[in-house]
Amino acid sequence: MSVYKRGKNGTYYYDFEFAGQRIKESSKSRSKTIAIEAERKRRRELEEGFNGVGKRVQPKLFKIAAENCLAQKAHTLAPRSLLIERTNLKHILPVLGKLLLTDIGSDSVASYQRQRLKEFASPKTVNLEVGTIRAILRRNKQWANIQQDVRMLLTRDDVGRAISPDEEQRIKVACLKSRSRSLYTIVVLTLNTGLRSSDVRLLTWAQIDLDSNLLTVGKSKTKYSSGRVIALNQEAEAVLRIWVHQFPNREGHHYLFPRERYGASGDAFDACAYHTDPTKPIGSFKKAWQAAKKKASVACRFHDLRHTACTRVLDAGGSFAVLSSIMGWSPATTVRMVKRYGHIGHEAQRQALVAICKPQMQETNMAEKPLTRQGLIQ
């Protein structure tokens, strides 16, 4: 048992070990006697909660509940989603890990949000982390108690942009000169399918059907994204038919973009891959992508290639239903995703609005007899 004063106002704190965790909390009192009793009460509360004594639902430390939740979801989440959950917990556990689930209220979540914003985390990132907190509390029947008092942070849905045809051409030229021979094919395929980078990176040859010109997405970010089939357009088909010749001994389980190491420097045509492992996917191609962008003098993210594909489908008159099937959006989020990814061009808007007035123009022959304010008054 350890009780000590801290701060100018002489408040007593208690400090002890429980279940491998250090519990260090304020008694909110300047009385040592009260602080000792507070520590005893807190220790007993933790012991009873941990062992389920006198409780209908056994309270747990948030850290233990988080570990259990992650272990249960490990086999159902996509690798990328699992990585996001683990990254979120790296920020969450130092703040909430030592608390009992029953001690986490809406004020705890609000305090966490304020702290993360002070650390310059974006509202979208904080919302993702709160989503992880929500999932853990919900699995342990605790979220409903605070749900109505928790407020998510406001975020922008218009982040991202579509690159121009000129920017696209410059990026393609730069990718062709990259030491990574995969980069050009990856970029062209993404521009013409709207795939996420993780989906492209994990493609296998079994998912490519060049006879029917179809691509089947594997396990993706969501259940709506996973397993969807995308028709390949002419450019995507052409680049894959060229790429296939690089791997004459390919097998279905081999990755479309395998892990490779290069020995020579210079252009991709001069560089020779001296080690290729087709059973492992390409690692991060971020460095090659950043170099290509810099060489092309284009400021954009790789995810903006997905934005670009989305925009061009809409500008070409594609329906939201078709776009949703290509992008792998759920029905509930299609409208929000269109707002985020759409970037519908002015020309597409103009054509849509012109279509509204064409029937009236034909009926009233407005081109020959325009309406005027004077005519309307008469």
Side-chain angles (χ1 to χ4, degrees):
M1 182 179 294
S2 175
V3 175
Y4 59 93
K5 279 186 180 182
R6 183 180 175 184
K8 295 181 179 180
N9 59 359
T11 299
Y12 275 92
Y13 284 73
Y14 50 82
D15 186 349
F16 62 90
E17 292 283 332
F18 175 78
Q21 299 292 322
R22 187 178 180 186
I23 308 299
K24 184 179 179 182
E25 298 174 348
S26 170
S27 69
K28 306 295 193 296
S29 173
R30 287 182 287 181
S31 168
K32 185 175 182 179
T33 301
I34 293 177
I36 293 173
E37 288 299 319
E39 181 188 10
R40 287 174 178 165
K41 181 180 178 181
R42 180 58 168 159
R43 185 190 291 272
R44 183 172 181 80
E45 182 183 53
L46 288 169
E47 291 172 349
E48 290 182 349
F50 189 78
N51 293 284
V53 178
K55 303 284 185 178
R56 288 187 60 190
V57 179
Q58 176 181 340
K60 301 176 183 176
L61 290 177
F62 184 87
K63 179 181 180 179
I64 295 174
E67 291 172 352
N68 293 341
C69 184
L70 205 60
Q72 292 170 359
K73 294 166 68 175
H75 301 296
T76 58
L77 286 179
R80 175 65 177 170
S81 299
L82 189 61
L83 177 61
I84 291 173
E85 294 292 337
R86 293 188 188 280
T87 302
N88 290 347
L89 285 173
K90 287 182 180 179
H91 297 287
I92 297 169
L93 291 181
V95 181
L96 303 179
K98 297 178 182 179
L99 297 179
L100 282 174
L101 294 176
T102 50
D103 287 342
I104 298 176
S106 58
D107 55 337
S108 305
V109 178
S111 176
Y112 177 80
Q113 290 172 315
R114 290 193 295 270
Q115 178 174 326
R116 290 292 287 133
L117 290 175
K118 288 180 181 178
E119 295 170 357
F120 302 104
S122 70
K124 182 179 179 181
T125 297
V126 178
N127 284 346
L128 284 173
E129 293 167 1
V130 172
T132 298
I133 297 172
R134 177 180 59 204
I136 294 168
L137 294 180
R138 181 178 288 164
R139 188 174 287 269
N140 290 272
K141 314 294 189 217
Q142 298 296 320
W143 177 250
N145 300 330
I146 66 173
Q147 179 178 5
Q148 62 182 2
D149 297 320
V150 174
R151 296 290 179 268
M152 303 299 275
L153 302 178
L154 293 177
T155 60
R156 291 179 56 188
D157 274 343
D158 58 345
V159 177
R161 73 180 186 93
I163 63 175
S164 68
D166 177 65
E167 289 175 322
E168 176 186 347
Q169 185 61 28
R170 299 206 309 268
I171 285 177
K172 286 180 178 178
V173 171
C175 289
L176 280 173
K177 296 179 179 180
S178 172
R179 290 185 63 203
S180 171
R181 64 171 177 170
S182 302
L183 187 61
Y184 176 77
T185 305
I186 288 173
V187 167
V188 172
L189 190 61
T190 303
L191 279 167
N192 287 277
T193 60
L195 289 174
R196 298 181 178 92
S197 60
S198 57
D199 294 337
V200 174
R201 192 177 69 85
L202 298 176
L203 281 173
T204 64
W205 285 108
Q207 294 169 242
I208 306 297
D209 183 354
L210 289 177
D211 293 329
S212 302
N213 291 332
L214 297 175
L215 180 154
T216 302
V217 179
K219 191 173 182 180
S220 188
K221 185 177 180 181
T222 68
K223 65 178 182 179
Y224 292 98
S225 301
S226 301
R228 71 187 189 277
V229 179
I230 300 176
L232 299 172
N233 62 18
Q234 292 178 337
E235 187 172 12
E237 177 195 353
V239 76
L240 286 178
R241 288 193 181 277
I242 295 173
W243 185 244
V244 76
H245 292 300
Q246 302 288 330
F247 306 94
N249 299 320
R250 67 190 179 281
E251 296 182 19
H253 67 279
H254 287 174
Y255 285 97
L256 197 69
F257 304 108
R259 184 169 299 180
E260 294 184 323
R261 294 173 62 192
Y262 294 88
S265 60
D267 290 350
F269 298 108
D270 299 324
C272 178
Y274 65 88
H275 180 72
T276 299
D277 186 352
T279 64
K280 294 181 180 178
I282 188 173
S284 173
F285 48 85
K286 183 178 180 180
K287 187 175 181 180
W289 166 249
Q290 296 288 357
K293 284 196 309 177
K294 184 177 181 180
K295 198 167 189 176
S297 300
V298 176
C300 69
R301 308 169 304 161
F302 187 85
H303 198 69
D304 288 333
L305 304 183
R306 179 172 163 90
H307 283 259
T308 304
C310 178
T311 301
R312 291 176 181 177
V313 170
L314 292 174
D315 283 346
S319 68
F320 290 165
V322 171
L323 182 63
S324 177
S325 68
I326 295 172
M327 296 294 165
W329 296 332
S330 68
T333 58
T334 294
V335 174
R336 181 169 60 87
M337 291 297 101
V338 167
K339 181 181 178 183
R340 176 178 295 175
Y341 292 114
H343 310 290
I344 304 174
H346 295 299
E347 187 58 33
Q349 293 179 347
R350 186 178 295 107
Q351 291 176 6
L353 294 174
V354 166
I356 295 175
C357 67
K358 278 184 177 179
Q360 289 84 347
M361 289 179 65
Q362 292 173 356
E363 292 177 7
T364 59
N365 198 14
M366 293 178 66
E368 296 179 3
K369 186 179 180 181
L371 288 175
T372 63
R373 181 175 176 84
Q374 184 177 4
L376 288 172
I377 294 174
Q378 292 176 350

